[in-house]
């Protein structure tokens, strides 16, 4: 029963993610420029590691529905993290 409720709730969030975007993401999406760091545009969550060098960075990805987050090393540029309803937030922890 709990799984059915979570699936229904997840479907509702997915529908909302497809129709709404945070104000900061809307302005960057319209201009075609991705924000540095956590960038949830529409249904896709991204992390944009802005740097002039080639240094990788370790990010912490926080997930929804009380699931454990994880650390991930990312190179400079955009890394796709998954669907916005699945990823709550991502932030840089330090070098890899």
């Amino acid at each position: 029963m709990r799984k059915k409720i979570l699936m229904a709730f997840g479907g509702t969030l997915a529908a909302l993610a497809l129709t709404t975007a945070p104000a900061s993401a809307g302005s960057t999406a319209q201009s075609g420029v991705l924000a540095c760091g956590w960038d949830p545009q529409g249904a896709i969550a991204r992390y944009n590691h802005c740097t002039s060098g080639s240094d990788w960075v370790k990010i912490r990805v926080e997930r929804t529905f009380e699931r454990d987050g994880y650390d991930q090393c990312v190179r400079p540029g955009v890394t796709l993290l998954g669907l916005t309803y699945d990823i709550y937030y991502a932030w840089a922890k330090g070098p890899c």
Side-chain angles (χ1 to χ4, degrees):
M1 178 69 170
R2 184 172 186 232
K3 187 174 182 178
K4 287 182 181 181
I5 292 171
L6 285 176
M7 288 174 62
F9 184 66
T12 301
L13 288 176
L16 287 173
L18 290 173
T19 59
T20 62
S24 61
S27 60
T28 57
Q30 290 172 354
S31 67
V33 177
L34 296 175
C36 292
W38 167 245
D39 192 15
Q41 289 192 20
I44 305 296
R46 299 169 175 87
Y47 188 87
N48 188 13
H49 176 39
C50 299
T51 182
S52 58
S54 61
D55 295 335
W56 288 52
V57 67
K58 183 183 291 186
I59 63 170
R60 177 70 182 176
V61 179
E62 302 293 348
R63 299 182 343 157
T64 57
F65 306 116
E66 298 181 22
R67 291 175 295 152
D68 292 335
Y70 58 91
D71 293 341
Q72 178 178 344
C73 286
V74 297
R75 64 182 182 187
V78 177
T79 300
L80 301 178
L81 299 176
L83 297 175
T84 307
Y85 79 87
D86 190 43
I87 308 296
Y88 177 70
Y89 191 68
W91 50 277
K93 288 181 74 172
C96 285

